[in-house]
Amino acid sequence: VKGYSSKEILLGFDEPIDPVFSLLPLAYKLDGIDPEIINSLNDSTRILRFEENLEEGKSYRLDVMQIPDLEGNFLRDTSVNFRFTDPTSFDYKSLVINELMPAPRADQDLPN
């Protein structure tokens, strides 16, 4: 589990999970709140979107319930504690580009 945006978390499983049951909001609770939208990134990764912004640095508890894998084996009810960080959030001047390295080609109008 890790932050994906200010309202989303990325949830990864170690094997492919059922594409129907894993998209049901009843299978997830973040501190008792159901996700608003669930998207599938690939066969073992889901993105959970919530109505409210998640707080940077706050500890959350995600409960995952009754999700089967492709073999029909159900995941036991599981709780995961994690600290939320938003990877899309940058402070002013936290990203500095101090060098550019173009790849000049003879067929371009740019000087070598």
Side-chain angles (χ1 to χ4, degrees):
V1 177
K2 62 182 177 178
Y4 194 70
S5 74
S6 62
K7 293 185 176 189
E8 298 174 319
I9 58 174
L10 183 101
L11 177 61
F13 295 88
D14 64 349
E15 61 182 271
I17 55 174
D18 187 278
V20 175
F21 286 103
S22 65
L23 295 178
L24 296 174
L26 297 174
Y28 310 95
K29 292 218 184 284
L30 182 67
D31 285 349
I33 300 170
D34 294 331
E36 184 179 46
I37 299 171
I38 302 167
N39 291 316
S40 178
L41 194 58
N42 58 40
D43 61 357
S44 62
T45 307
R46 299 296 178 263
I47 299 170
L48 310 179
R49 182 175 180 81
F50 296 90
E51 188 174 324
E52 300 288 325
N53 282 347
L54 302 171
E55 292 180 39
E56 185 77 26
K58 181 180 176 184
S59 292
Y60 287 94
R61 175 182 164 163
L62 177 67
D63 296 316
V64 182
M65 299 153 290
Q66 300 297 314
I67 296 181
D69 62 11
L70 295 180
E71 302 292 320
N73 303 313
F74 280 82
L75 173 70
R76 291 183 186 157
D77 291 353
T78 303
S79 294
V80 178
N81 294 312
F82 69 99
R83 184 175 302 274
F84 178 77
T85 56
D86 182 2
T88 63
S89 152
F90 292 100
D91 292 332
Y92 181 68
K93 291 189 176 183
S94 64
L95 176 64
V96 177
I97 299 172
N98 59 15
E99 184 176 342
L100 297 176
M101 184 177 257
R105 294 185 184 89
D107 61 338
Q108 293 180 345
D109 292 335
L110 298 173
N112 285 335

